[in-house]
Amino acid sequence: QVQLVESGGGLVQAGGSLRLSCAASRSISGNYFMGWYRQAPGKQRELVASVRSGGMTTYVDSVKGRFTISSDSAKNTMYLQMNSLKPEDTALYYCNTKTIVSGILTEYWGQGTQVTVSS
């Protein structure tokens, strides 16, 4: 079992920055997937950024060049640096990790942290 706890959300003006953190209860650096999702009211949850085993990162087009995903294995923590924020970035942000346990895909979610960007 892994517990994930997000922090760092808040209210920010358009053009501002926030850094989200996702603290894991144990090491997740060996997991094959770590990522950030978001869900805005009335919309489906979308994958915003991810890093896979081997270090490959991916971003949804709407955040490319503005968001950066990273991790600190010594702290068991994953980050999402968000710059040049826009009102359309307003959403509940969740961290997620996926791993294989006894041959079964297993994923873990945090409780979410709210990001609100005012215009």
Side-chain angles (χ1 to χ4, degrees):
Q1 285 288 334
V2 176
Q3 283 74 47
L4 303 176
V5 179
E6 301 100 333
S7 61
L11 174 63
V12 64
Q13 288 188 331
S17 298
L18 286 172
R19 187 176 80 156
L20 305 183
S21 298
C22 173
S25 58
R26 61 169 178 80
S27 175
I28 58 171
S29 60
N31 291 3
Y32 77 89
F33 176 97
M34 296 186 290
W36 290 92
Y37 289 76
R38 68 185 179 187
Q39 187 166 22
K43 295 188 176 181
Q44 288 189 330
R45 189 174 297 188
E46 69 170 347
L47 177 60
V48 175
S50 67
V51 56
R52 300 171 190 267
S53 56
M56 184 179 71
T57 57
T58 61
Y59 298 91
V60 68
D61 285 347
S62 60
V63 308
K64 284 180 180 177
R66 300 189 297 121
F67 290 12
T68 303
I69 188 171
S70 63
S71 65
D72 184 334
S73 58
K75 296 181 178 180
N76 295 339
T77 301
M78 178 171 59
Y79 304 98
L80 185 68
Q81 178 67 44
M82 306 186 295
N83 299 328
S84 302
L85 282 161
K86 304 176 181 180
E88 51 264 43
D89 294 319
T90 295
L92 192 58
Y93 284 72
Y94 300 89
C95 62
N96 171 275
T97 186
K98 304 184 199 320
T99 187
I100 303 296
V101 179
S102 300
I104 299 172
L105 171 63
T106 304
E107 63 178 338
Y108 303 95
W109 293 91
Q111 82 288 351
T113 185
Q114 179 67 40
V115 172
T116 303
V117 184
S118 63
S119 57

